[in-house]
Amino acid sequence: MVAIVGRSNVGKSTLLNALIGSKIAIVSPKPQTTRHIIHGVLHDDRGQIVFVDTPGVFKHAPDRLTARLNEKVKEALSGIDAVVYVVDATRHVGDEERIVHRLVAVMDKPKILVFNKADRKQPFKDEYLAWQEEFDDVIEVSALQGTSLKRLVDAVFAVLPESVALYPADQITNIENRFWVEEIIREKIYMAMDKEIPYTTAVKVESTEERPNGLVYVKAFIMTTSPRYKKMIIGHGGAKIREIGSAARYELEAVTGKKIFLDIEVVVEERWMERFE
Ligand code: GDP
Ligand code: MG
C-alpha cells in the first residue's frame, strides 16, 4: 500500500490514473471535493502495488489542515508501506506544501519524492530539493505525458515489503470508489441504449455499503432529462434497466470478487448536474 500525498493540484489523481492506465480518479483543475479514498491497483509480474489517493485531504486553509485530518484520512494512511510525495516545482513551496511535508516527515516509511509536471519548466526545484535527504529516491515524471512512470514503479517495487495480494488480479480499484462504479454503469447504458440517450443522462452512486454478510449494497441513480427518456431507459416491463443493472453487477462482481446488490433508480432530473455535489 503506497500513499500518494501532496498539495492539491500537483497532479496526484493524474498520476494515479496514468500509473493504473485507467480513469479511476477525478482530475480537476480545481481542488477536489471527493470524500472517498481511492485505491488504484497496479498489477505486474513482480506483484501488485495498491496506490492510495487521498483526494480532498490537503485542500483546506493551511491553519485548519491538521485539524481536518479526519478519520477517513487516518484510515487511508494507516497500514501504508511507502509514501510517494508529489510536488510541483513550477510553483514555490507554500504553506500548504510545508504542512504536507511535515506530515510526510513524521511517517516512518520509505519515501519517494516525485517532481511532477516535468514537461514544464521547474524554476523552484531547489526549494524542494532541500528535502531530498529525507527521501529514498527522487524521480522526475510527467503524469500528463506518461514520462518516467516505469522508473517510478521500479522505485516503488524496490522499497515495498512482500505481502499477500490484497486484490484479485483483475481488480484495479476499490468498490468504495463511486466514480469508478458510476463509470461502469454509464458504460452499460451506452451498450444497452441508442446513441441519444447517454448524453442526456448522468449516473450517481449515492452509497456503497458492505453488509456483515459480505454483500455489498450499492444504491445508484440514473438521472435523465425527460420522462420520455426515463421510459426508454426502464424499457418494457423494466427490461432495459434490468439489462443495464445485471451487466453492471456482473462486471462489478467479476472484478471485485464480491457479491453485489445493485439498486438502480431512474429519475427525471432536468438539472441533474446541480442535484448532487
Ligand atoms: P491533484 O489535485 O493533485 O489530484 O491534481 P490533478 O491530478 O487533479 O491535476 C491538477 C491539474 O494539473 C490538472 O489540470 C492536470 O491536468 C494538471 N497536471 C497533472 N499532471 C501534469 C503534468 O505532468 N504536466 C502538466 N503540465 N500538467 C499536469
Ligand atoms: Mg486529486
Side-chain angles (χ1 to χ4, degrees), residues 139-157:
I139 296 172
E140 250 181 74
V141 305
S142 168
L144 203 60
Q145 301 189 341
T147 320
S148 301
L149 299 182
K150 201 181 156 300
R151 269 211 63 208
L152 174 56
V153 171
D154 291 347
V156 172
F157 270 119

Side-chain angles (χ1 to χ4, degrees), residues 183-193 244 247-248 251:
E183 285 293 300
I184 288 177
I185 297 171
R186 209 187 320 274
E187 182 192 285
K188 303 313 171 196
I189 299 172
Y190 268 89
M191 285 162 63
M193 307 297 301
I244 293 165
E251 179 160 343

